[in-house]
Amino acid sequence: MIKFAQFGAGFIGKIHGANIVKHPRAELTYIYDVVPAAAESLAAQLGAKVASSPEEIWASDVDAVLIASSTNTHADHLSAAIKAGKAVYCEKPVDLDIARVKAVVQESTKATKPILVGFSRRFDSNHVGIRESLHNGEIGKLEMISITARDPKPPALSYIKVSGGQLRDQAIHFFDMLRWLSGEDPVEVYAAGAALVDPDIGEAGDVDTSMLILKFPSGALCHINCSRRADYGYDERVELFGSEGMALSRRKPRREISIFKGKSIIADGLHGGWFERMEPTFYHALDALIRTIEGEQIEYPTLTDGLKAQLIAEAAVQSLHTNQPVKINYWSPE
Amino acid sequence: MIKFAQFGAGFIGKIHGANIVKHPRAELTYIYDVVPAAAESLAAQLGAKVASSPEEIWASDVDAVLIASSTNTHADHLSAAIKAGKAVYCEKPVDLDIARVKAVVQESTKATKPILVGFSRRFDSNHVGIRESLHNGEIGKLEMISITARDPKPPALSYIKVSGGQLRDQAIHFFDMLRWLSGEDPVEVYAAGAALVDPDIGEAGDVDTSMLILKFPSGALCHINCSRRADYGYDERVELFGSEGMALSRRKPRREISIFKGKSIIADGLHGGWFERMEPTFYHALDALIRTIEGEQIEYPTLTDGLKAQLIAEAAVQSLHTNQPVKINYWSPE
Amino acid sequence: MIKFAQFGAGFIGKIHGANIVKHPRAELTYIYDVVPAAAESLAAQLGAKVASSPEEIWASDVDAVLIASSTNTHADHLSAAIKAGKAVYCEKPVDLDIARVKAVVQESTKATKPILVGFSRRFDSNHVGIRESLHNGEIGKLEMISITARDPKPPALSYIKVSGGQLRDQAIHFFDMLRWLSGEDPVEVYAAGAALVDPDIGEAGDVDTSMLILKFPSGALCHINCSRRADYGYDERVELFGSEGMALSRRKPRREISIFKGKSIIADGLHGGWFERMEPTFYHALDALIRTIEGEQIEYPTLTDGLKAQLIAEAAVQSLHTNQPVKINYWSPE
Amino acid sequence: MIKFAQFGAGFIGKIHGANIVKHPRAELTYIYDVVPAAAESLAAQLGAKVASSPEEIWASDVDAVLIASSTNTHADHLSAAIKAGKAVYCEKPVDLDIARVKAVVQESTKATKPILVGFSRRFDSNHVGIRESLHNGEIGKLEMISITARDPKPPALSYIKVSGGQLRDQAIHFFDMLRWLSGEDPVEVYAAGAALVDPDIGEAGDVDTSMLILKFPSGALCHINCSRRADYGYDERVELFGSEGMALSRRKPRREISIFKGKSIIADGLHGGWFERMEPTFYHALDALIRTIEGEQIEYPTLTDGLKAQLIAEAAVQSLHTNQPVKINYWSPE
C-alpha cells in the first residue's frame, strides 16, 4: 500500500482524496489545509488524519504527497517533497512565476521519486485513443492538429485576474496536449484574441475568445481555439490529421438519447462543465503515479512538461499582446 | 436509343417520363392516359406524342413500355406488351387479384423481352450497400433482418379502401426487400396490427400500425414494423444481423446540419415523404431495365418477384385476421 | 447509516458489496456464502464480517439484505427476510418455479420493508431518459416499442441448461422493461426462435436467436429481438414510437473516437459485454432501495414486477413451443 | 425562356451546359470554345449551336452568357458582356491580375444586367442552413468561424504553378464564404503553411498545408485550415460559434451505411472529390442568376465579392511570405 498525504481540501482536493481512498493499492494518511476546519471535515469523511503542519508530513513515513493546495504553495511543497524523498502528484500550474518553476525543475534533477504534474487530460481515454492511432501509424505522418476547447461559462472575474489569463489558465492544457500528442515541441506561436463574452474580462487585460496557430519543427501546424463560454456545455475535441488519415477525439454526450420530432432530431448535448467530462482522468492520472512508484515504466507529465507548457503560454501571451508570431524559448536544467 | 411509350400521366408517370427523357440512351415517344388532357400536358412538357389508344402503342416501333397507369390496368397492358414483344417497366402491384397476377406470370413465360416490376427500393444505394456487405461475407451468415418503414402520414381513406390495406400496399415493398436481401423465400409469417393512427382506418377494416415476424428456411428471422404516420418524416431503415457482424442502411437526413444549443444537439431530420427519400431509385430502376434491354446481365425485380411479394402479403393479411402464423403458398407457372 | 448483510460472494456479489461500501449512507456488516472461503475473501476486502449462517444475519440488527446467492436460494432468503423485517435487494429471477414465486409474493403482502428485485436496467440513464420523454408527453401516445438485446457470446451450455433458456434468462429483462416503459401489462405474446449460434443450444431444447411481438391493451405493439451472440459487442437499444415523435435510447460506444481513412469512417464500437455497459445501473438500483428505506417515494421494481416479467416469459416460452400467440395469465396475491 | 451562350466546353463547361439545358426556364443557344472540336461535341450533345466567334455571341439575342473558359479570358468576356448588355455567370477567379479585376469591377458599375461570380458554395444547402441559423438569431452573436477544407489529392503541378497557389486557388472559396456567412469583411489575416504533401509543391514556391486566422471588425475570429491531400476524401465543413449556440455544416457521407464488426463501427466515408460533393451547387447558382434576371431579389456573389475574396487572398499570401499578420486593403470603384 502506498501511503499518501494531501495538501489542500478544497474542490479538487476532495476529488483527489476520494480517488486515493478508492485506489486499491493506496491509502490516505494525512490531510493538511491552511483552513484547519476544511482539513478536518475531509479527513473525517475519508478516514484520514489531519496533519498539524506540512513538516509533520515531511517527517512522516508517507510515500507520496498530493499537492492540491493553492498555486502559490506548489513550489514550496515540491521543494520540500524532493528533499524529503516523497513522490508527488502536483496540480497544475507549478507556479505562475516562471523563474520559480525553473528553480523547482532544477531542484527536481535530484529527485529520487517520480513527480507527476496534473495534466490529467493525457489520461482521457478518447485522447489516448487517437494518440495510439497516430503512434501506430494508422494515420501516417502528422500534418495538422486542431483543438477546440470551450468552457460553458467564464470563471469569476476575481479568479481570472489571478489566473494569468485565458492562455495561461485555459489554453495551457492544450499546450501540453499538443506536445504529448505530436511528440514534438512547437517552435513558434501566433495568438489572436478578444473579450467578446464579457467586457470586464477585457477591462482586466485578458481575452475570453482566442485562436492560435503553432508551428512544429517538422512543418506540421496546430490550431487551437478557446472560448470562456459555450451556451451548449463543455466542448473539447481534438483532431489529428495525418498523411494517411485523420483521427478524431469526438465530443462526449451526456447520454445517448435522441428524440425525433417534427423536422428535427434532438440529441442529448454535452456535459455542463469540464469537470463532469474530465472527472475520470483524475483517477487515471493518480493510478499512473502509483504504478510508476511501484516500478512500472509509464509515461506521465513531468515537471519539465509543466514548464514547457508554461513557456508556450508565455510566448502565446506575448504574441497576443504584440500581434506578432513569437518563438518559444525552452529551457533545460543544468 | 431505346424508344419508350408510357401509360399514365399522373404523379408517378411524371417522374418516370422525366427519367426516360433524362436517360442518355432512351427516348419517350408516346404517352397514353385515359384522361387525354393529362397525356397532352405531359407529352407537351416532355416532347412526346400522345397515343390515341393503347393499340397505337402496341402497333408502333417502341421498344419498351412504362406502365404507370392505375393498378387495375396493369395486367392488361402486361399481356398486350408480352404479345407485342415489348420490354416493360410495370409499377407495382401487378394486380390486386392474385389469380390475374398468376395468369400474367404464366403468360410471361413466353415473353421475349425483360419485364421489370417497380420495386425500386432494390436500387437504393444504401440498401444496395448492405446487401453487398452480406453477399461479400462481411457480416457472416444472415440470422436476423429488421426493417422499419413509417410514412409521415396516411394516404386518403379513399385510397386505403382500394389499396388492399397496409400490408398489401405499404409492407409489400419490404416483402420484396427481405427476399432480395436474404436470397431466401420466407416460409411463414405472423402479423399483428391495430388502427392507432386513425379510427376510420379501423372502420374500413384495415390497420395503420403493424408488426410482423417472418421465418426463413435457414432459420433466420425477419421483423418488419410499419406505421402509416410518423411525426418526424419518412423513416425507412434496414438492419442485417449476421454471424460475424451487422450492416445498417441508416436513415438519410435532409441536410447535414446540427445546432448545439443549451442541453441539446439539434440535427436536421428526415425527409417529408417517401418520394423525396426514394426519388433517385426510380431512375436507377429504369436504367437497370435499359441496360438489360441492351444485353447486360443485371438482376432486377421480375413479375415472379412481384407475385411472390403479393403472396407473402396475402399470408400476412390472413395472419392479421386470424391471429395465427400462416404458411406462405408460393406458386410457379407451368 | 443503513446496515446491510449480503448473501453471495460470487461475481455479482462482488459488485453489490463494493457498491454498498461505496454508498455514503450504507455499510456492509455481514457476508454469507455457502463457500466460506469466498465469503472470507470478499469480507476481508470490503471490511465486513463473515456470517456463520443465514440465521446469524436474520437475528442481527442489519436493516437490509442483498440477495446475490444462487437463484434456488432466493425464495427462502426472501421469506426469512420478510419474517425478520429486513429490507431486500434481490437479484433476478425470484425463482425459476413460478409457484414458489407466487408463494413469496403472497408472503410479501405482509412485508413491512421494501423489497427491490434487481431489474437494474430500469436505472440506466439512457432508458430513464426516453421514459421521461414518453411520460412528459414529448412523443405523444405510445404506439410501438422496439427493443434489441444482443449479448456478445452465449453463456456456458451448463448455465443455459439451468437458466430456463433464452426467453426466461435473457429476454426477461426486456419483459420488465416494456412494462416499465409503457406503464401497461402486455396481454399476449408471440415468439419465434431458432438455434443459429450454436446447435448444442438447440440440442439442449433452447434457442439462441429470437423475435417476439407483444400486444398491449391500448393496441400498442412491442417487438423484441434477442441474440446470444453479436460479433460486435453488447448491443442493447430501445425505441419508443409515439403519435408525436420517437425517442431512442441509442447504443453507447466504448469511446468517442473516429478514424477517417480511405473510403471509411471507423468509430470505436460497443462494449465487450453487458456488464461493462450496465455496471452503473447496479449502484443506482441500490441507491433507490436505500432512499426508499430512508422514506423517499421512489418507483422501483417490486416482487410483483418480478413475477409479472416471469409470467410473460412463461407465455413466451409456450408460444415458442406451440408456434401460437399466447395470452399472458397474470396473478395477484389474495 | 432565358437564352444562354456559353464560353468553354471543358470539364466545368459540360456541367454548366447540362444545367442550362435542365433548367425549365433557360435554353442554351450557343457554345464557343477556342478548341472548335470541343465546342462541336458539347453543342451536339446539348442541342446547341457552335458560335464561330465571341462576337457572334455578343451580337446575338442571347440574354446571358456563362463564362467557363480559361481564367485569362474571363476579364475580356466580362467587359464585352457588360458592353453588350448581357447577364453573366462567370467562373471564379475573375482574373489572377488584381489590376484587371479592379478594372472590370469599375466597368461593371455601368452594367445593366446581373453578373454572378461562381462562388457556388454559397448555394450548398448545408452551408445555407447554418447561415440561416445565424441570421435568425438561433446562435446569438457570431464569435468564431472555423472552416476545414481538404481536397483528396493535389492538382497537377503544372496547374498549381499557374493557379496562384493554395491560398489564391483553394482557400479563396472560403475567403468568400466567411464574408457571406458573417456579413463582415475581415480586416487582417495571418497565414502559416508548409509543403508537407509534396516537396515539389514547395519547390514551386507554394504550400499544400495551411492554417489561417482572420480578424473581423466585430472582434470575431475565423480559422481556416486547408490541405491539398486527404486520404479519406473531400472534407469540407464549417462551424459557426455564437454567443448562444453553435451551428455546424457537417461532412456529407457518400451513403448512410454502417457495418458493426469486432470492435468497430465502420461507416461509409466522404466523397472522392470536391465535385461529387458540390455538384448540386452549380445548378442552384445558375438558378439564382436566372431568377435574378427574371426580377427576383436574390442575394448572389457579385464581381465585388469576387474582388474582395481575391484581396483577402493577396493579403494571406503576403502573410505567408512575411510571417506577419497583414491588413487587408479593400478597394471600391469610383
Side-chain angles (χ1 to χ4, degrees):
Chain A
M1 296 294 274
I2 291 166
K3 290 181 190 163
F4 271 83
Q6 179 171 306
F7 294 93
F11 171 73
I12 206 69
K14 284 173 187 158
I15 307 306
H16 285 302
N19 281 338
I20 294 170
V21 167
K22 189 174 150 194
H23 198 286
R25 299 190 308 282
E27 60 189 33
L28 183 59
T29 307
Y30 292 105
I31 293 180
Y32 176 82
D33 197 289
V34 290
V35 180
E40 274 156 32
S41 163
L42 187 59
Q45 197 180 316
L46 298 175
K49 283 174 278 190
V50 172
S52 55
S53 69
E55 289 67 34
E56 186 179 350
I57 289 170
W58 305 128
S60 76
D61 66 345
V62 300
D63 305 294
V65 293
L66 201 151
I67 303 177
S69 45
S70 64
T71 297
N72 61 351
T73 67
H74 292 184
D76 285 348
H77 290 332
L78 280 162
S79 290
I82 291 166
K83 289 194 190 87
K86 310 296 188 193
V88 184
Y89 183 121
C90 183
E91 266 300 327
K92 50 107 332 211
V94 176
D95 196 284
L96 287 176
D97 177 348
I98 295 288
R100 278 191 93 186
V101 183
K102 288 180 179 173
V104 172
V105 170
Q106 182 66 53
E107 285 178 59
S108 75
T109 58
K110 292 172 202 141
T112 55
K113 296 286 162 53
I115 301 173
L116 181 149
V117 171
F119 285 124
S120 68
R121 275 166 179 80
R122 289 194 181 197
F123 300 93
D124 178 68
S125 60
N126 288 358
H127 298 336
V128 166
I130 59 169
R131 187 171 183 255
E132 284 172 0
S133 292
L134 174 62
H135 289 216
N136 293 345
E138 256 183 289
I139 60 167
K141 198 166 164 301
L142 183 68
E143 294 178 351
M144 291 196 275
I145 302 179
S146 183
I147 300 176
T148 295
R150 296 170 188 161
D151 280 327
K153 56 183 178 193
L157 199 60
S158 56
Y159 173 82
I160 284 179
K161 285 176 178 169
V162 300
S163 73
Q166 186 178 33
L167 299 180
R168 287 190 189 96
D169 178 55
Q170 183 183 14
I172 195 163
H173 288 285
F174 308 99
F175 296 146
D176 180 65
M177 188 181 289
L178 61 88
R179 293 185 56 249
W180 170 69
L181 288 171
S182 68
E184 285 193 89
D185 290 333
V187 292
E188 193 182 290
V189 58
Y190 173 75
L196 301 177
V197 174
D198 182 353
D200 288 349
I201 292 175
E203 290 288 311
D206 196 9
V207 294
D208 50 35
T209 306
S210 54
M211 284 191 166
L212 300 98
I213 293 174
L214 299 103
K215 296 178 181 174
F216 288 104
S218 65
L221 299 170
C222 176
H223 166 69
I224 300 176
N225 74 69
C226 291
S227 178
R228 286 290 201 181
R229 183 258 297 110
D231 176 80
Y232 56 93
Y234 182 69
D235 184 3
E236 175 175 325
R237 53 210 143 92
V238 180
E239 176 176 323
L240 300 179
F241 176 78
S243 56
E244 296 170 29
M246 176 173 60
L248 295 191
S249 173
R250 306 194 310 261
R251 296 176 196 91
K252 190 193 280 287
R254 282 196 318 283
R255 297 182 299 186
E256 288 76 15
I257 293 177
S258 298
I259 309 296
F260 287 62
K261 206 166 161 61
K263 291 178 173 260
S264 299
I265 306 170
I266 305 149
D268 241 47
L270 308 185
H271 292 87
W274 68 268
F275 180 69
E276 289 90 319
R277 170 66 182 80
M278 288 298 160
E279 183 178 10
T281 66
F282 291 98
Y283 182 83
H284 293 310
L286 176 71
D287 182 62
L289 178 67
I290 288 168
R291 286 156 61 204
T292 303
I293 295 172
E294 292 170 341
E296 205 174 325
Q297 293 293 322
I298 296 175
E299 197 182 9
Y300 60 87
T302 65
L303 272 181
T304 299
D305 290 324
L307 173 60
K308 285 187 173 181
Q310 289 190 246
L311 292 171
I312 299 171
E314 292 307 313
V317 169
Q318 192 186 332
S319 174
L320 186 65
H321 292 159
T322 61
N323 196 27
Q324 296 291 319
V326 172
K327 299 277 178 214
I328 301 158
N329 287 313
Y330 294 104
W331 176 91
S332 293
E334 291 161 22
Chain B
M1 297 293 275
I2 292 166
K3 292 183 190 163
F4 272 83
Q6 178 172 308
F7 294 93
F11 171 74
I12 205 68
K14 285 173 186 158
I15 307 306
H16 285 302
N19 282 338
I20 293 169
V21 168
K22 187 173 151 196
H23 197 286
R25 302 191 304 283
E27 60 189 34
L28 182 59
T29 307
Y30 293 105
I31 294 180
Y32 176 82
D33 196 287
V34 288
V35 181
E40 274 155 32
S41 162
L42 187 60
Q45 196 180 316
L46 297 175
K49 284 175 275 188
V50 172
S52 56
S53 69
E55 290 65 34
E56 185 178 352
I57 289 170
W58 305 128
S60 77
D61 67 346
V62 301
D63 305 292
V65 294
L66 202 151
I67 304 176
S69 46
S70 63
T71 297
N72 62 350
T73 68
H74 293 185
D76 285 349
H77 291 331
L78 279 163
S79 289
I82 291 165
K83 290 194 189 86
K86 310 295 188 193
V88 184
Y89 183 121
C90 182
E91 265 300 326
K92 48 108 329 211
V94 177
D95 196 285
L96 286 176
D97 176 349
I98 295 290
R100 279 192 90 187
V101 184
K102 289 180 179 173
V104 173
V105 170
Q106 181 68 52
E107 286 178 57
S108 75
T109 57
K110 291 172 204 144
T112 56
K113 294 288 163 53
I115 300 172
L116 181 149
V117 171
F119 285 123
S120 68
R121 278 166 178 81
R122 288 194 182 198
F123 299 93
D124 178 68
S125 60
N126 288 356
H127 298 336
V128 166
I130 60 169
R131 186 171 184 256
E132 284 172 1
S133 292
L134 174 63
H135 289 215
N136 293 344
E138 256 183 289
I139 60 166
K141 198 167 163 300
L142 183 68
E143 295 177 351
M144 292 195 276
I145 303 179
S146 182
I147 300 176
T148 296
R150 296 170 188 161
D151 280 327
K153 57 186 179 192
L157 198 59
S158 56
Y159 173 81
I160 284 180
K161 284 176 178 168
V162 301
S163 73
Q166 185 178 34
L167 298 180
R168 288 190 188 94
D169 177 54
Q170 182 183 15
I172 195 163
H173 288 283
F174 309 99
F175 296 145
D176 180 64
M177 188 180 291
L178 60 89
R179 291 185 57 250
W180 170 68
L181 288 170
S182 69
E184 287 192 88
D185 289 334
V187 291
E188 190 183 292
V189 58
Y190 173 75
L196 302 177
V197 173
D198 182 354
D200 287 350
I201 292 175
E203 291 289 310
D206 196 8
V207 294
D208 50 37
T209 306
S210 54
M211 285 192 166
L212 301 97
I213 293 175
L214 299 103
K215 297 178 182 176
F216 288 105
S218 65
L221 299 170
C222 176
H223 166 69
I224 300 175
N225 73 70
C226 291
S227 176
R228 286 290 200 182
R229 184 255 299 110
D231 176 80
Y232 56 93
Y234 182 68
D235 184 4
E236 174 174 325
R237 53 210 141 93
V238 180
E239 177 177 323
L240 300 179
F241 176 78
S243 56
E244 296 170 28
M246 174 173 62
L248 295 191
S249 175
R250 305 193 312 261
R251 295 174 196 92
K252 191 192 282 282
R254 282 195 318 281
R255 296 181 300 185
E256 288 76 16
I257 292 177
S258 297
I259 309 296
F260 287 62
K261 207 168 161 58
K263 290 177 174 260
S264 300
I265 305 170
I266 305 149
D268 242 46
L270 308 185
H271 292 86
W274 68 269
F275 180 69
E276 290 90 318
R277 170 66 183 81
M278 289 297 161
E279 183 177 10
T281 65
F282 291 98
Y283 182 83
H284 294 308
L286 176 71
D287 181 63
L289 177 67
I290 289 169
R291 287 155 62 204
T292 303
I293 295 171
E294 293 170 342
E296 205 174 325
Q297 293 293 321
I298 295 175
E299 197 183 9
Y300 61 87
T302 63
L303 270 182
T304 299
D305 290 323
L307 172 61
K308 285 189 173 180
Q310 289 190 248
L311 291 172
I312 299 171
E314 293 307 314
V317 169
Q318 190 186 334
S319 174
L320 185 66
H321 291 160
T322 61
N323 195 29
Q324 295 291 319
V326 171
K327 299 278 178 214
I328 302 158
N329 287 313
Y330 294 104
W331 175 91
S332 292
E334 290 161 23
Chain C
M1 297 292 274
I2 292 167
K3 290 182 192 165
F4 271 83
Q6 179 172 307
F7 293 94
F11 171 73
I12 206 66
K14 284 173 186 158
I15 306 307
H16 285 302
N19 281 338
I20 294 170
V21 168
K22 189 174 150 194
H23 198 285
R25 300 191 307 282
E27 60 189 33
L28 183 59
T29 306
Y30 293 105
I31 294 180
Y32 175 82
D33 196 288
V34 290
V35 181
E40 275 156 30
S41 163
L42 187 58
Q45 197 181 314
L46 297 175
K49 282 175 275 187
V50 172
S52 54
S53 69
E55 288 69 32
E56 186 179 350
I57 288 169
W58 305 128
S60 76
D61 66 344
V62 300
D63 305 292
V65 294
L66 201 152
I67 303 177
S69 46
S70 62
T71 297
N72 62 351
T73 68
H74 291 183
D76 285 348
H77 291 331
L78 280 163
S79 289
I82 291 165
K83 289 193 190 89
K86 310 294 188 193
V88 184
Y89 184 120
C90 182
E91 267 299 326
K92 49 105 336 208
V94 176
D95 197 284
L96 287 175
D97 177 348
I98 294 288
R100 278 191 91 187
V101 184
K102 289 180 179 174
V104 173
V105 170
Q106 182 67 53
E107 285 177 58
S108 74
T109 58
K110 293 172 201 141
T112 55
K113 296 286 161 54
I115 300 173
L116 181 150
V117 171
F119 285 123
S120 67
R121 275 166 179 81
R122 288 194 182 197
F123 300 93
D124 179 68
S125 60
N126 288 357
H127 298 336
V128 166
I130 59 168
R131 187 171 183 256
E132 284 172 0
S133 292
L134 173 62
H135 289 216
N136 294 343
E138 255 183 290
I139 60 167
K141 197 167 164 300
L142 183 68
E143 295 178 350
M144 291 196 275
I145 302 179
S146 183
I147 300 176
T148 296
R150 296 169 188 162
D151 281 325
K153 56 184 180 193
L157 198 60
S158 57
Y159 173 81
I160 284 179
K161 285 176 177 167
V162 300
S163 72
Q166 186 178 33
L167 298 180
R168 288 190 189 96
D169 177 53
Q170 183 184 13
I172 195 162
H173 289 284
F174 309 99
F175 296 145
D176 180 64
M177 187 180 290
L178 59 90
R179 292 185 56 249
W180 170 69
L181 288 171
S182 68
E184 286 194 88
D185 290 332
V187 292
E188 191 182 292
V189 57
Y190 173 74
L196 302 177
V197 175
D198 182 354
D200 287 350
I201 292 175
E203 290 289 311
D206 196 10
V207 295
D208 48 37
T209 306
S210 53
M211 284 191 167
L212 301 97
I213 293 175
L214 298 104
K215 296 179 182 174
F216 288 105
S218 65
L221 299 170
C222 175
H223 167 69
I224 300 175
N225 74 69
C226 292
S227 177
R228 288 289 202 182
R229 184 257 298 110
D231 177 80
Y232 56 93
Y234 182 69
D235 184 3
E236 175 174 325
R237 54 211 142 92
V238 179
E239 177 177 324
L240 300 179
F241 176 78
S243 56
E244 296 170 29
M246 173 173 61
L248 295 190
S249 174
R250 306 193 311 260
R251 295 176 196 92
K252 190 192 280 287
R254 281 195 319 281
R255 295 181 299 186
E256 288 75 16
I257 293 177
S258 296
I259 309 296
F260 287 62
K261 208 169 160 55
K263 290 177 174 261
S264 300
I265 305 170
I266 306 149
D268 242 46
L270 308 184
H271 291 86
W274 68 269
F275 180 68
E276 289 90 320
R277 171 66 184 82
M278 288 298 161
E279 183 177 9
T281 65
F282 291 98
Y283 181 83
H284 294 309
L286 177 70
D287 182 62
L289 177 66
I290 289 169
R291 286 157 61 204
T292 303
I293 295 172
E294 292 170 343
E296 206 174 322
Q297 293 293 323
I298 297 176
E299 197 183 10
Y300 60 88
T302 64
L303 271 181
T304 299
D305 289 324
L307 172 61
K308 285 188 173 180
Q310 289 191 249
L311 292 172
I312 300 172
E314 292 307 313
V317 169
Q318 191 186 332
S319 174
L320 185 66
H321 291 159
T322 61
N323 195 29
Q324 295 291 320
V326 172
K327 299 277 178 214
I328 302 159
N329 287 313
Y330 294 104
W331 175 91
S332 294
E334 294 160 20
Chain D
M1 295 294 275
I2 293 166
K3 290 183 191 164
F4 272 83
Q6 179 171 307
F7 294 93
F11 171 73
I12 205 68
K14 285 174 186 158
I15 306 307
H16 285 302
N19 282 337
I20 294 169
V21 169
K22 188 173 151 194
H23 197 286
R25 301 191 305 282
E27 60 189 33
L28 183 59
T29 307
Y30 293 104
I31 294 181
Y32 176 81
D33 196 289
V34 290
V35 181
E40 275 155 30
S41 162
L42 187 60
Q45 196 181 316
L46 298 174
K49 284 175 275 189
V50 172
S52 55
S53 69
E55 290 65 34
E56 186 179 352
I57 288 169
W58 306 128
S60 77
D61 66 346
V62 301
D63 306 292
V65 293
L66 201 152
I67 305 177
S69 46
S70 63
T71 297
N72 61 350
T73 67
H74 292 183
D76 284 350
H77 291 331
L78 280 162
S79 289
I82 291 165
K83 290 194 188 85
K86 310 295 188 195
V88 184
Y89 184 121
C90 182
E91 267 299 326
K92 48 107 333 212
V94 177
D95 196 284
L96 286 175
D97 176 349
I98 295 289
R100 280 191 89 185
V101 184
K102 289 179 179 173
V104 173
V105 171
Q106 182 66 54
E107 287 177 57
S108 74
T109 58
K110 292 171 205 143
T112 55
K113 295 288 162 53
I115 301 173
L116 180 150
V117 172
F119 285 123
S120 68
R121 277 166 179 80
R122 288 194 182 197
F123 300 93
D124 178 69
S125 60
N126 288 357
H127 298 335
V128 166
I130 59 168
R131 186 171 184 255
E132 285 173 359
S133 292
L134 174 63
H135 289 215
N136 293 344
E138 255 183 290
I139 60 167
K141 198 167 162 299
L142 184 67
E143 294 178 351
M144 292 196 275
I145 303 179
S146 182
I147 300 176
T148 295
R150 298 171 187 160
D151 280 326
K153 56 184 179 194
L157 198 59
S158 57
Y159 173 81
I160 284 179
K161 285 177 178 166
V162 301
S163 73
Q166 185 177 31
L167 298 180
R168 288 191 189 94
D169 178 53
Q170 184 183 12
I172 195 162
H173 289 284
F174 308 99
F175 296 145
D176 180 65
M177 188 180 290
L178 59 89
R179 292 185 57 250
W180 170 69
L181 288 170
S182 69
E184 286 193 87
D185 289 334
V187 291
E188 191 183 290
V189 58
Y190 173 75
L196 302 177
V197 174
D198 182 352
D200 287 350
I201 292 175
E203 290 289 311
D206 196 9
V207 295
D208 49 36
T209 307
S210 53
M211 284 191 168
L212 301 97
I213 293 173
L214 298 103
K215 296 178 183 174
F216 288 104
S218 65
L221 299 170
C222 176
H223 166 69
I224 300 175
N225 75 69
C226 291
S227 177
R228 286 291 200 180
R229 183 257 296 110
D231 176 80
Y232 56 93
Y234 182 69
D235 184 3
E236 175 175 324
R237 54 210 141 93
V238 180
E239 176 178 323
L240 300 180
F241 176 78
S243 57
E244 296 169 29
M246 175 173 60
L248 295 191
S249 174
R250 304 193 312 259
R251 296 175 196 92
K252 192 192 279 285
R254 282 195 317 283
R255 296 181 299 185
E256 289 75 15
I257 293 177
S258 298
I259 309 295
F260 288 62
K261 207 168 161 59
K263 291 176 175 261
S264 300
I265 305 169
I266 305 149
D268 241 46
L270 309 185
H271 292 87
W274 69 267
F275 180 68
E276 289 90 320
R277 169 66 183 81
M278 289 297 159
E279 183 176 11
T281 66
F282 291 98
Y283 182 82
H284 294 308
L286 176 71
D287 181 62
L289 178 67
I290 288 168
R291 287 156 60 204
T292 302
I293 295 171
E294 292 170 342
E296 203 173 325
Q297 293 293 322
I298 295 176
E299 197 183 8
Y300 60 88
T302 64
L303 270 182
T304 300
D305 290 324
L307 173 59
K308 285 189 174 181
Q310 288 190 248
L311 291 172
I312 299 171
E314 292 308 313
V317 169
Q318 191 186 332
S319 174
L320 185 67
H321 291 158
T322 61
N323 196 28
Q324 295 292 319
V326 172
K327 300 276 177 214
I328 301 159
N329 287 314
Y330 294 104
W331 175 92
S332 292
E334 291 159 23

